[in-house]
Amino acid sequence: MIKKVSCLTALVVISIIILLTGCSKKNTNNLIITNESSETINSLAIQRGNQTDVMGSKLEPNQKCYFDIGVQDNYTFVVEFKDTNKQIIRSKQITTNFNYNKDEVKNIKISKDNNKRWSITLEN
């Protein structure tokens, strides 16, 4: 019985540590990409220089994905995703500044208008 309580206590402590680590890590991210369309998109990626950061799974409607770009001035990168319905890769090159001031998190919205045209828009 004591072994079960000890194991359960250890599991709870580990779970809390994982949750806290996730929350603190989220605070260092300075780019948020949101799928504002009503469709699921695949293979969301940020291409920067020789590096590609991929959010490998599907990004559901209204779901967000967080990236840490670091501190960068006049930084150019490409946002890319796959339209799951048409299997077409959509992308846009963006240039902006990044820093860790919590008031300066960059938000990119991926949306689809009534004419079924996709857009990737940087807000702030």
Side-chain angles (χ1 to χ4, degrees):
M1 179 71 169
I2 294 176
K3 275 189 168 182
K4 286 183 181 182
V5 171
S6 296
C7 288
L8 182 59
T9 303
L11 183 60
V12 169
V13 169
I14 291 170
S15 297
I16 290 171
I17 290 170
I18 290 171
L19 287 174
L20 291 175
T21 303
C23 291
S24 64
K25 185 178 178 192
K26 185 175 175 181
N27 290 336
T28 64
N29 294 320
N30 55 357
L31 175 63
I32 302 170
I33 299 178
T34 306
N35 178 8
E36 291 196 338
S37 76
S38 60
E39 299 178 22
T40 301
I41 59 176
N42 280 334
S43 304
L44 176 64
I46 301 292
Q47 297 177 2
R48 45 187 172 153
N50 295 331
Q51 179 179 349
T52 301
D53 296 328
V54 179
M55 187 282 209
S57 61
K58 296 178 180 179
L59 195 62
E60 300 294 334
N62 298 312
Q63 186 176 1
K64 297 179 187 230
C65 191
Y66 300 87
F67 294 90
D68 180 7
I69 303 298
V71 176
Q72 303 287 339
D73 289 323
N74 202 28
Y75 191 64
T76 300
F77 62 100
V78 175
V79 176
E80 180 179 279
F81 68 94
K82 186 183 250 185
D83 176 346
T84 55
N85 291 330
K86 295 188 177 183
Q87 298 298 310
I88 296 173
I89 294 177
R90 311 286 179 175
S91 66
K92 181 175 184 177
Q93 181 174 311
I94 296 172
T95 301
T96 191
N97 297 319
F98 288 95
N99 64 45
Y100 285 118
N101 180 341
K102 69 178 183 177
D103 296 329
E104 293 191 39
V105 173
K106 303 298 180 180
N107 293 291
I108 295 178
K109 311 282 184 187
I110 297 175
S111 59
K112 195 171 192 181
D113 66 19
N114 292 335
N115 295 324
K116 300 185 181 199
R117 287 183 295 226
W118 285 97
S119 66
I120 301 171
T121 308
L122 173 66
E123 296 185 352
N124 62 325

